[in-house]
Amino acid sequence: MSVGFIGAGQLAFALARGFTAAGILAAHKITASSPDTDLPTVSGLRKIGVNFTVSNKDTVKNSDVLFLAVKPPIIPFILDEVGPDIEARHIVVSCAAGVTISSIEKKLSTFCPTPKVIRCMTNTPVVVREGATVYATGTHADVEDGKLLEQLMASVGFCTEVEEDLIDAVTGLSGSGPAYAFTALDALADGGVKMGLPRRLAVRLGAQALLGAAKMLLESEQHPGQLKDNVCSPGGATIHALHFLESGGFRSLLINAVEASCIRTRELQHLADQEKISPAAIKKTLLDKVKLESPSLSVASVNKVSLFTNKSKKN
Amino acid sequence: GVALGAWPRVAMEAPELWVGFVGAGRMAGGLVRGLLQAGKVPASNILASAPSDKNLGAWRELGCRTTHCNLEVVHRSTLVFLATKPHILPGVLEEIRPAVGSHHIVVSLVAGVTIQTLQRLLPPWTKVLRIMPNLPCVVQAGAMVFSRGNNAGDEEATLLKSLLSSCGLCEEVPESYIDIHTGLSGSGVAYVYLFAEALAEGAVKMGMPGALASRIAAQTLLGAAKMLLETGEHPAKLRGDVCTPGGTTIYALHQLEKGALRATVMNAVEAATNRACDMAKD
């Protein structure tokens, strides 16, 4: 099986790194493409032994499982560009937040009558094989196709199938989640430094504390509330600290964060559906590069971009 | 009057147990009602004293005997509950001290008066215990903690526990927990009343008549507490069980978290506990 990534940014790198480290895929069976060769992740991909190309079409031709690893506003351009090369055998996996299966199927159906589309939401810790991934299968993707993706993603962390309407919530929780954790860790380290620890040690200990706690929770049958209680000796240090967290509305801040991320994801999807994102919002250089690779896109249509209608001539 | 020493020593088991209350106020009334409802001690075995007749009428209605003489209570009882106001107690102890014998069991309900103080003001052989009940003892759903002094042994502790378990939860604790119990449960009852009132008000705002809302609020608290006590599950787990994804409960809980309810409640318990400690020092 060969895997391709359209896009060679953080996500492609994280997944490629994870798959190869897991031994589920050899690096030479992975292709990644991007018009932008200056991305720092490009050299990272090359170092692992992934085939890098500037031609998205080459990636499609050399892949069975094709990951769309570009930012959501770029998806329609990619679909227009590689659509003609998509065959019934391909499993197209979109990792783009907020981009619906139906929008992708609609785009691809002008080229291929039964495109296999799977939508997934993963997160960056796939790079260390502790990712959190969910996926939903599209109209023409079989159970085996879903299982194949699940096998791939399970090699780099936790993976489970969900109903598509839950994916935005997953984005808010585990998609964005590592950022919440990094913020917390930065602050915890500050606390350690304030109380006299050297920075490096503070960071190391903070990270290990969160890692250990998460591991305990995953391996325990107990409710996190119970695990918390187990740490809180009466009148001790921890309960005093927790009181501060509660006073600051710690819990509600986290609930707010997950909610905001989920709502924003839906907003972006809504904007995309209504074709409200202007071309100016998309990096001009990227547009030009896409244009260079896709002679079927006319200059005129580039200036008046509508995100989910296909104005280019069929191949 | 009653001659000193005329009363025989009595057996410790009910119904031969003679129980006295020095002070007949709200807290004492709660305990005695619980005792009576549980049928552990006949009313005629109970004697209560108070300076005025203000509260004593209610005791007589229960079938208890009453007096204005604190010494009489001590003479006629084995188990003596001290239930005066804190500033009154030292004077009362001085008064009854001569009549206190080694057969007596003295149990103080007086807020803020430590076992050390009690032992200092009573004869050195006295079996002293200190108890902190709460108001729902009246309806046999109280929460009480007690501690023992130097001369109180397992027998006294067992007796007290067996008598008062009819009033609700009764646990022996180190004395340092008593002020915490005040903050948690003594005053805690008031926090619950406040919460019940607020729940009902929310319902009234949304269109429900007040009386119905209040009854439902109370039943909700009762039911939730009963599930907690009977399932033994962690409250966080029970809370999660009620929260359907994207449902009404999680929306409401988010509001509570935004208002930092947890921290506020912790603050309340802390404030009451600290106040109890401070008052004890005065």
Side-chain angles (χ1 to χ4, degrees):
Chain A
M1 173 187 53
S2 50
V3 166
F5 290 96
I6 306 284
Q10 297 290 344
L11 181 61
F13 175 70
L15 284 172
R17 178 87 179 267
F19 293 152
T20 51
I24 200 165
L25 212 51
H28 67 270
K29 301 287 253 172
I30 304 177
T31 311
S33 57
S34 168
D36 186 351
T37 55
D38 293 331
L39 292 170
T41 42
V42 169
S43 60
L45 283 163
R46 283 194 167 121
K47 275 206 193 92
I48 347 176
V50 165
N51 304 306
F52 179 79
T53 167
V54 292
S55 164
N56 290 334
K57 283 172 165 334
D58 285 348
T59 302
V60 177
K61 289 201 175 95
N62 295 325
S63 311
D64 304 309
V65 178
L66 182 70
F67 283 92
L68 304 181
V70 295
K71 290 189 171 39
I74 308 290
I75 293 278
F77 295 108
I78 297 301
L79 294 174
D80 277 339
E81 184 198 342
V82 303
D85 301 297
I86 300 286
E87 296 165 30
R89 66 178 179 89
H90 282 111
I91 301 173
V92 177
V93 182
S94 165
C95 304
V99 178
T100 60
I101 292 173
S102 72
S103 67
I104 299 172
E105 286 178 344
K106 208 166 106 186
K107 266 283 198 184
L108 289 179
S109 61
T110 59
F111 303 109
C112 172
T114 57
K116 291 177 195 270
V117 176
I118 302 181
R119 177 181 175 187
C120 102
M121 170 50 54
T122 183
N123 66 357
T124 49
V126 289
V127 72
V128 292
R129 296 165 59 204
E130 287 292 357
T133 309
V134 302
Y135 69 94
T137 49
T139 322
H140 311 290
D142 306 320
V143 170
E144 300 93 59
D145 301 322
K147 289 298 168 198
L148 181 64
L149 179 69
E150 190 169 319
Q151 222 184 349
L152 261 178
M153 300 309 292
S155 75
V156 292
F158 171 74
C159 181
T160 191
E161 186 176 6
V162 296
E163 297 292 324
E164 190 183 3
D165 60 2
L166 295 184
I167 294 190
D168 294 332
V170 173
T171 308
L173 173 56
S174 58
S176 300
Y180 316 154
F182 293 138
T183 307
L185 287 167
D186 203 9
L188 284 171
D190 277 344
V193 168
K194 178 175 177 181
M195 303 319 291
L197 296 177
R199 171 69 59 174
R200 277 182 68 107
L201 180 60
V203 171
R204 186 75 185 75
L205 291 172
Q208 188 66 29
L210 287 198
L211 174 67
K215 198 161 180 189
M216 275 181 78
L217 181 56
L218 288 171
E219 292 183 8
S220 163
E221 304 266 299
Q222 294 185 306
H223 194 282
Q226 179 64 61
L227 291 171
K228 162 184 60 82
D229 285 358
N230 295 346
V231 190
C232 290
S233 331
T238 310
I239 189 69
H240 271 70
L242 276 182
H243 194 180
F244 265 99
L245 287 181
E246 297 290 2
S247 299
F250 184 58
R251 290 172 185 260
S252 99
L253 284 179
L254 291 170
I255 300 173
N256 293 349
V258 174
E259 188 176 42
S261 172
C262 176
I263 288 176
R264 181 62 180 161
T265 303
R266 290 183 190 147
E267 244 171 43
L268 290 170
Q269 177 216 311
H270 191 60
L271 286 172
D273 284 348
Q274 294 194 340
E275 307 179 13
K276 282 205 163 64
I277 298 187
S278 70
I282 302 164
K283 254 170 55 173
K284 188 170 185 302
T285 50
L286 208 50
L287 253 186
D288 287 342
K289 282 181 176 156
V290 169
K291 192 185 74 184
L292 276 170
E293 301 303 317
S294 315
S296 56
L297 279 180
S298 71
V299 174
S301 71
V302 163
N303 287 335
K304 280 197 292 259
V305 167
S306 25
L307 289 183
F308 285 105
T309 64
N310 187 355
K311 291 207 171 81
S312 65
K313 281 195 292 206
K314 246 197 186 167
N315 206 49
Chain B
V2 175
L4 285 172
W7 292 94
R9 287 188 189 184
V10 292
M12 294 249 275
E13 303 87 19
E16 288 310 313
L17 183 61
W18 295 80
V19 179
F21 284 83
V22 178
R26 191 194 288 276
M27 210 46 111
L31 275 192
V32 80
R33 277 173 175 79
L35 275 177
L36 289 173
Q37 273 174 22
K40 291 288 172 105
V41 182
S44 49
N45 281 28
I46 300 177
L47 175 63
S49 66
S52 78
D53 213 46
K54 188 175 65 167
N55 296 325
L56 292 176
W59 289 68
R60 284 192 293 271
E61 267 169 51
L62 292 170
C64 302
R65 296 165 197 250
T66 64
T67 173
H68 294 298
C69 175
N70 295 333
L71 271 170
E72 187 184 343
V73 171
V74 177
H75 285 308
R76 289 179 56 175
S77 312
T78 314
L79 178 59
V80 178
F81 286 98
L82 303 175
T84 70
K85 292 235 175 345
H87 64 280
I88 306 276
L89 187 66
V92 165
L93 288 178
E94 212 186 296
E95 183 196 340
I96 66 172
R97 194 193 149 104
V100 174
S102 56
H103 65 285
H104 279 112
I105 305 167
V106 177
V107 182
S108 166
L109 275 70
V110 182
V113 178
T114 60
I115 290 175
Q116 189 184 44
T117 304
L118 291 164
Q119 286 179 160
R120 184 165 48 85
L121 296 174
L122 287 168
W125 53 74
T126 315
K127 293 179 252 213
V128 170
L129 298 110
R130 179 185 173 193
I131 190 167
M132 170 56 60
N134 72 352
L135 221 32
C137 291
V138 181
V139 292
Q140 294 182 266
M144 297 157 278
V145 297
F146 71 90
S147 308
R148 42 171 121 164
N150 301 334
N151 301 318
D154 291 341
E155 217 179 315
E156 286 74 44
T158 308
L159 173 69
L160 194 60
K161 200 163 171 176
S162 84
L163 279 180
L164 296 179
S165 293
S166 59
C167 299
L169 177 74
C170 184
E171 298 283 343
E172 183 175 357
V173 298
E175 196 179 8
S176 59
Y177 292 5
I178 291 190
D179 289 333
I180 307 173
H181 178 74
T182 305
L184 165 61
S185 183
S187 299
V189 173
Y191 320 157
V192 177
Y193 293 147
L194 189 150
F195 190 65
E197 197 182 344
L199 279 174
E201 258 181 333
V204 168
K205 178 179 175 180
M206 304 317 293
M208 185 181 277
L212 179 61
S214 296
R215 283 206 338 270
I216 295 176
Q219 184 68 20
T220 305
L221 289 168
L222 176 66
K226 199 164 178 188
M227 281 192 73
L228 254 178
L229 288 170
E230 287 183 10
T231 63
E233 304 238 56
H234 196 282
K237 159 96 178 28
L238 289 172
R239 170 173 49 89
D241 289 346
V242 188
C243 291
T244 336
T248 61
T249 311
I250 191 69
Y251 270 69
L253 283 177
H254 192 184
Q255 289 300 319
L256 293 179
E257 298 288 5
K258 281 183 185 173
L261 177 65
R262 291 171 185 262
T264 309
V265 171
M266 288 176 79
N267 292 347
V269 174
E270 190 173 339
T273 304
N274 287 340
R275 183 67 180 145
C277 289
D278 287 345
M279 287 172 73
K281 289 187 194 125
D282 293 340

